């Protein structure tokens, strides 16, 4: 089980596919250090094994080393998901001293000018390269992350080479996910079928070449799939997300479901929320499924796909994910691909 | 195929520990989690960055009073798989 702790929605970057919601939580709404320390205690007791400190940019929180130290003391595996632009020597030393296990560093492209255009942060690329050097210098395993879309997908080979040159133990080549900001910018971000196929071929060849040297995790876009992804490994099955203000969600995009009241960790225990809340039970298991999913032999493999995507594209969160070829709404995916306009303007996140 | 003289060690950022909540051993790696079966747990417990694959097979063969070549095959298969996943270095 894993917990994604979104410590803040603040971020120096403005990526147009940001996984944060369109309505970002303000700094004044963020939980205090003490609240997060209690969350960590309760997470460990609940059986959470890994904690991902994320954001926004988690490093804008000055108490990050305090939280990492507390998590490490509880035996939690601590991971920081960062843009790296704030990872100075001092910050690296503090995190290492606190016992951080792993850092995932994002890059927006292998091409610096385009990377900085996408991230909306001038000078960011060099800072990220310096961050990679610091992470490696500290003896930590490095994961580099590239979100890919029509504006950079043709450079997947260069991205993998860059990850290798930086000494990454692992690289994530993740097609943008179309929720929140990504959905808003979908037409401008969706690659073509040809671009996807070429990127996939490059990844597969690199995997063979780099077996045992660097792991390549490849996340494909649902829009070209025949079967849906097992979103979050199933709703309320092995994943929790906590927003900066303390709302507990089964996935980071779940707040698009306006008919669900997501409980706050300020009012309830994590164990209670996990076991008994409507939010976590609404789409848990297989009972909620439409007949199409419940009668499918893949029902406990893909769990009906993604509820947020079903809602965003069909208006019904309890529908089969349109990514599934069996869904009556599957045509919506091809339609979106047909409507993609690579030259459309990107709306930077707020 | 890996040789008997190789010394296996955990990769950077990999932790093998007992989880009290699950009452089971878990293998934690960057953004990945493995729940090894009983045989794998016995093998992984013997990884200390000093002992060779050959020594690990000797220990297990003696402990379980099992044919060494069968044990060795299990050890090599597991460690090769783990090495391919980046969890074990050889």
């Amino acid at each position: 089980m894993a917990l994604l702790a979104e410590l803040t929605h603040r971020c120096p970057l403005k990526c147009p596919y940001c996984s944060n919601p369109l309505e970002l939580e303000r700094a004044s709404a963020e939980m205090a250090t003490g609240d997060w320390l209690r969350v960590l205690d309760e997470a460990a007791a609940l059986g959470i094994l890994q904690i991902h400190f994320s954001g926004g940019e988690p490093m804008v929180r000055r108490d990050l080393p305090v939280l990492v130290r507390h998590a490490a003391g509880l035996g939690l595996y601590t991971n920081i998901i960062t843009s790296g632009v704030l990872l100075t020597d001092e910050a690296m030393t503090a995190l290492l001293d606190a016992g951080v296990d792993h850092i995932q560093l994002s890059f927006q492209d292998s091409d610096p000018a385009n990377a900085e255009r996408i991230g909306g942060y001038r000078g960011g690329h060099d800072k990220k390269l310096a961050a990679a050097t610091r992470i490696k210098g500290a003896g930590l395993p490095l994961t580099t992350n590239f979100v890919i879309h029509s504006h950079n997908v043709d450079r997947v080979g260069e991205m993998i080479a860059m990850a290798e040159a930086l000494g990454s133990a692992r690289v994530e080549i993740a097609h943008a996910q179309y929720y929140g900001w990504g959905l808003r910018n979908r037409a401008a971000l969706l690659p073509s079928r040809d671009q996807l196929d070429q990127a996939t071929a490059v990844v597969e060849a690199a995997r063979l070449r780099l077996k045992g040297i660097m792991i390549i995790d490849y996340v494909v876009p649902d829009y070209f799939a025949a079967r849906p992804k097992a979103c979050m490994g199933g709703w309320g099955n092995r994943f929790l997300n906590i927003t900066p203000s303390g709302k507990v969600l089964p996935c980071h995009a779940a707040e698009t479901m306006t008919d669900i009241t997501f409980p706050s960790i300020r009012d309830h225990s994590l164990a209670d929320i996990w076991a008994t809340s409507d939010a976590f039970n609404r789409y848990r298991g297989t009972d909620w499924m439409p007949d199409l999913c419940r009668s499918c032999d893949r029902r406990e493999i893909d769990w009906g796909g993604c509820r947020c995507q079903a809602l965003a594209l069909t208006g019904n969160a309890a529908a089969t994910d349109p990514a599934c070829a069996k869904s009556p709404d599957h045509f919506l995916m091809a339609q979106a691909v047909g409507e993609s306009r690579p030259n459309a303007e990107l709306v930077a996140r707020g | 195929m890996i040789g008997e003289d190789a010394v296996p060690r955990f990769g950077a950022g990999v932790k093998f520990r007992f989880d009290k909540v699950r009452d089971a051993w878990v293998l934690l790696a960057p953004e990945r989690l493995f729940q090894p079966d009983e045989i794998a747990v016995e093998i992984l417990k013997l990884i200390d960055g000093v002992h060779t694959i050959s020594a690990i097979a000797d220990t297990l063969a003696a402990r379980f009073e099992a044919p060494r070549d069968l044990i060795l095959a299990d050890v090599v298969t597991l460690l090769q798989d783990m090495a391919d996943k980046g969890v074990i270095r050889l």
Side-chain angles (χ1 to χ4, degrees):
Chain A
M1 272 169 79
L3 171 72
L4 185 72
E6 291 181 341
L7 299 180
T8 179
H9 280 160
R10 290 174 284 152
C11 185
L13 275 68
K14 307 275 178 210
C15 303
Y17 43 76
C18 180
S19 64
N20 288 163
L22 294 174
E23 266 187 60
L24 299 167
E25 292 180 355
R26 286 192 295 273
S28 58
E30 289 175 12
M31 286 204 290
T33 307
D35 295 325
W36 279 112
L37 294 177
R38 178 173 68 85
V39 167
L40 295 171
D41 288 338
E42 292 189 15
L46 187 61
I48 298 286
L49 294 168
Q50 302 209 348
I51 175 133
H52 308 295
F53 291 106
S54 181
E57 171 50 64
M59 296 197 59
V60 305
R61 290 270 308 210
R62 299 232 173 126
D63 55 0
L64 182 59
V66 174
L67 302 180
V68 168
R69 184 181 302 279
H70 194 73
L74 291 164
L76 293 165
Y77 192 94
T78 57
N79 176 31
I80 296 174
I81 300 173
T82 181
S83 69
V85 299
L86 302 176
L87 191 65
T88 59
D89 278 332
E90 293 73 22
M92 185 69 250
T93 302
L95 290 173
L96 196 62
D97 185 56
V100 66
D101 289 307
H102 173 248
I103 296 178
Q104 182 196 121
L105 177 63
S106 68
F107 286 91
Q108 279 64 48
D109 199 338
S110 53
D111 174 69
N114 199 46
E116 293 182 7
R117 187 178 69 83
I118 292 165
Y121 185 90
R122 191 168 296 188
H125 197 74
D126 279 347
K127 289 186 179 177
K128 289 162 178 284
L129 292 172
T133 304
R134 289 188 181 103
I135 294 165
K136 287 296 292 179
L140 288 174
L142 171 66
T143 290
T144 39
N145 163 284
F146 293 87
V147 173
I148 58 172
H149 42 76
S150 64
H151 294 253
N152 66 6
V153 65
D154 297 328
R155 280 183 291 281
V156 165
E158 285 95 320
M159 294 176 200
I160 292 171
M162 181 177 146
E164 190 186 356
L166 290 172
S168 311
R170 181 168 164 267
V171 61
E172 285 184 5
I173 302 290
H175 280 271
Q177 298 284 304
Y178 296 104
Y179 308 98
W181 295 95
L183 187 59
R184 183 163 182 171
N185 285 304
R186 186 178 66 182
L189 293 172
L190 259 180
S192 69
R193 176 92 232 180
D194 278 353
Q195 285 180 315
L196 170 67
D197 289 346
Q198 281 175 30
T200 303
V202 168
V203 167
E204 282 171 1
R207 272 183 172 159
L208 283 179
R209 183 172 64 81
L210 296 167
K211 188 174 176 184
I213 298 168
M214 182 172 76
I215 300 159
I216 305 178
D217 279 341
Y218 184 53
V219 177
V220 295
D222 295 333
Y223 283 72
F224 300 89
R227 292 286 172 264
K229 61 176 177 278
C231 198
M232 301 298 139
W235 182 278
N237 192 29
R238 58 184 196 214
F239 183 87
L240 298 122
N241 181 83
I242 302 188
T243 75
S245 71
K247 276 182 276 186
V248 187
L249 315 176
C251 87
H252 54 266
E255 282 184 283
T256 53
M257 299 186 185
T258 50
D259 65 326
I260 298 180
T261 304
F262 293 100
S264 172
I265 193 66
R266 298 192 209 218
D267 304 325
H268 306 274
S269 74
L270 200 59
D272 257 6
I273 293 170
W274 175 256
T276 68
S277 69
D278 167 52
F280 274 80
N281 283 297
R282 184 77 69 99
Y283 301 113
R284 187 174 255 161
T286 57
D287 287 350
W288 63 271
M289 288 180 175
D291 288 343
L292 183 63
C293 295
R294 206 180 316 131
S295 62
C296 178
D297 59 8
R298 292 179 59 84
R299 62 187 174 277
E300 291 191 343
I301 296 170
D302 57 36
W303 301 100
C306 173
R307 299 303 88 228
C308 302
Q309 184 148 275
L311 175 66
L313 300 190
T314 76
N316 175 13
T320 298
D321 185 339
C324 182
K326 293 180 179 178
S327 160
D329 303 303
H330 188 58
F331 71 95
L332 292 169
M333 310 306 261
Q335 192 172 303
V337 172
E339 289 168 358
S340 70
R341 292 171 289 123
N343 297 320
E345 192 184 348
L346 288 170
V347 180
R349 71 153 247 180
Chain B
M1 195 53 92
I2 50 178
E4 280 189 49
D5 296 337
V7 176
R9 43 177 67 84
F10 291 109
V14 175
K15 287 186 165 174
F16 180 56
R17 71 169 179 84
F18 190 76
D19 176 47
K20 278 185 273 186
V21 177
R22 283 168 189 71
D23 195 28
W25 286 82
V26 291
L27 191 60
L28 300 164
E31 296 175 58
R32 288 178 306 158
L33 162 70
F34 301 90
Q35 292 179 274
D37 64 26
E38 282 177 47
I39 295 169
V41 164
E42 294 308 316
I43 296 169
L44 293 170
K45 278 181 183 172
L46 295 175
I47 293 179
D48 56 6
V50 176
H51 286 90
T52 61
I53 288 175
S54 177
I56 290 171
D58 287 343
T59 303
L60 292 173
R63 184 181 305 163
F64 295 105
E65 295 176 5
R68 185 181 180 279
D69 51 345
L70 283 183
I71 296 272
L72 180 65
D74 277 353
V75 172
V76 167
T77 303
L78 175 87
L79 295 181
Q80 183 67 60
D81 177 51
M82 289 287 179
D84 290 344
K85 289 174 177 156
V87 175
I88 295 287
R89 286 181 298 142
L90 294 160

